[in-house]
Amino acid sequence: FEYFPGSAKMLPKDNGLFRGPRPGVCRTDFKLLKNLLRENLNGTVILCHDTSCGSVKRILNYELVYGIKEAKGLEFKSVIVINFFSGLGECSQKPWRNLLLGREGADFETKHPEVGGHLKMMYTAITRSIERLLFVETSPSISGDAAVRWLTKPPVGLQNAFATMSDVNHMDALSLTSDEFVGQGLDNIELAESSNLDMAQRLSHLDKAIYCFEQTQHDQLVSKARLHRKCLQFGVQVVQDGHALEIEAARLAEASLKEGLPYLKRLCTCSKLPYLLYQTTLLKS
């Protein structure tokens, strides 16, 4: 608020009923983090810059990776914010360092307005976490090094720092329980139904749901989610062979009826698939 006084409204100070764990900060590499996500951290959500979401997901081979903007409005039990600082543009590295180390003056907002957007994005990221929050940087950066110092050094007049340095080799188990995986999977199913998302985003949420259900070995939920995904894809496919399309439509309609899924109606009313009305009549009879 000192450097960006008009960016947000300052609310009165609020104290919780109890003091939860402080955020953790650690430096590690993708290989170690990938192994941890298979064991102690399975179910923890990874947040990163939206532009790097695809590459982070591929490197970690982990489904629960969200872009920060994509995750706006969602909440998760445990969150890792990865490479927030090293992922900032080169021109933002020194301004961020100077901001964190108190080296800037009152004209900071005028000189570096983009940092205001970064701060709002940081706020979105850290408020997605319900219980545990961890900042991970896999490569050194000017702003990242300054952030680690600022977060882990107690401010003047305070006994404790904002965050603690975490040893990834002794990380407490943060894996979700079976019920928590199911809950997170159902949340993603609901998000996949949003008309405000494009098809790629909706399919991404369904992939996350399938991953969550697979962790519980709940075959029925996995089957329903996979069928949901096929129905969504089928609704937008442009198939040249009308006969092949009709066969696939009938198969999906039959599977949807057996699973008790609502997607059949949506397929039937699609202007591209008017003949599904006939197939549906046959199946229901």
Side-chain angles (χ1 to χ4, degrees):
F1 290 101
E2 178 182 353
Y3 295 107
F4 296 90
S7 62
K9 181 180 179 181
M10 182 181 291
L11 300 175
K13 185 177 180 180
D14 188 20
N15 292 315
L17 297 177
F18 61 92
R19 187 180 296 275
R22 285 179 289 168
V25 180
C26 75
R27 295 186 178 98
T28 187
D29 55 46
F30 276 113
K31 182 178 180 180
L32 180 55
L33 181 58
K34 182 177 180 179
N35 291 334
L36 287 170
L37 289 170
R38 294 174 179 170
E39 301 169 359
N40 289 6
L41 303 182
N42 190 22
T44 298
V45 165
I46 304 293
L47 295 184
C48 60
H49 291 285
D50 291 71
T51 53
S52 61
C53 188
S55 60
V56 171
K57 184 182 294 188
R58 286 192 297 273
I59 293 171
L60 294 176
N61 191 27
Y62 187 63
E63 195 59 50
L64 302 181
V65 178
Y66 294 76
I68 295 174
K69 295 178 182 178
E70 177 190 4
K72 188 174 182 180
L74 307 179
E75 290 185 332
F76 310 101
K77 179 181 178 181
S78 301
V79 170
I80 292 176
V81 181
I82 189 169
N83 290 341
F84 180 88
F85 296 100
S86 59
L88 297 172
E90 185 66 29
C91 61
S92 298
Q93 292 294 322
K94 289 184 178 180
W96 260 95
R97 177 197 62 188
N98 295 340
L99 173 66
L100 292 168
L101 300 181
R103 298 176 180 175
E104 289 290 346
D107 60 346
F108 183 80
E109 182 177 14
T110 302
K111 293 191 298 183
H112 306 291
E114 74 283 355
V115 176
H118 298 161
L119 288 168
K120 292 179 180 179
M121 188 160 53
M122 170 65 79
Y123 175 81
T124 298
I126 64 178
T127 53
R128 299 312 93 203
S129 170
I130 298 174
E131 295 185 11
R132 297 294 298 272
L133 175 65
L134 181 66
F135 291 94
V136 171
E137 293 287 317
T138 63
S139 58
S141 65
I142 294 173
S143 62
D145 293 344
V148 170
R149 294 198 301 272
W150 184 80
L151 287 168
T152 57
K153 180 180 179 181
V156 176
L158 296 181
Q159 183 178 2
N160 295 319
F162 296 121
T164 61
M165 286 298 298
S166 299
D167 184 352
V168 292
N169 294 306
H170 299 89
M171 192 74 69
D172 294 335
L174 300 178
S175 294
L176 300 185
T177 66
S178 179
D179 288 345
E180 287 169 338
F181 268 120
V182 169
Q184 191 161 309
L186 293 175
D187 286 343
N188 277 286
I189 290 289
E190 184 176 354
L191 288 168
E193 286 295 282
S194 174
S195 59
N196 297 324
L197 302 180
D198 61 32
M199 185 55 61
Q201 292 172 316
R202 296 173 72 183
L203 292 175
S204 176
H205 282 300
L206 284 173
D207 287 336
K208 292 178 174 65
I210 292 169
Y211 175 85
C212 289
F213 295 149
E214 286 176 340
Q215 308 314 301
T216 70
Q217 298 182 342
H218 199 307
D219 295 338
Q220 187 176 12
L221 287 176
V222 173
S223 176
K224 287 179 180 290
R226 286 176 176 167
L227 181 58
H228 187 165
R229 194 184 195 286
K230 288 181 180 179
C231 288
L232 274 182
Q233 283 184 304
F234 183 73
V236 296
Q237 283 179 341
V238 179
V239 182
Q240 299 298 324
D241 187 346
H243 179 66
L245 179 62
E246 185 174 353
I247 293 175
E248 178 66 6
R251 189 189 66 78
L252 285 175
E254 182 180 13
S256 295
L257 286 173
K258 287 181 179 179
E259 293 285 358
L261 296 177
Y263 320 120
L264 179 62
K265 181 179 180 181
R266 215 166 295 151
L267 284 173
C268 292
T269 56
C270 177
S271 61
K272 296 180 181 179
L273 310 173
Y275 43 82
L276 268 180
L277 289 171
Y278 174 69
Q279 295 291 344
T280 303
T281 303
L282 292 178
L283 287 168
K284 285 185 175 180
S285 61

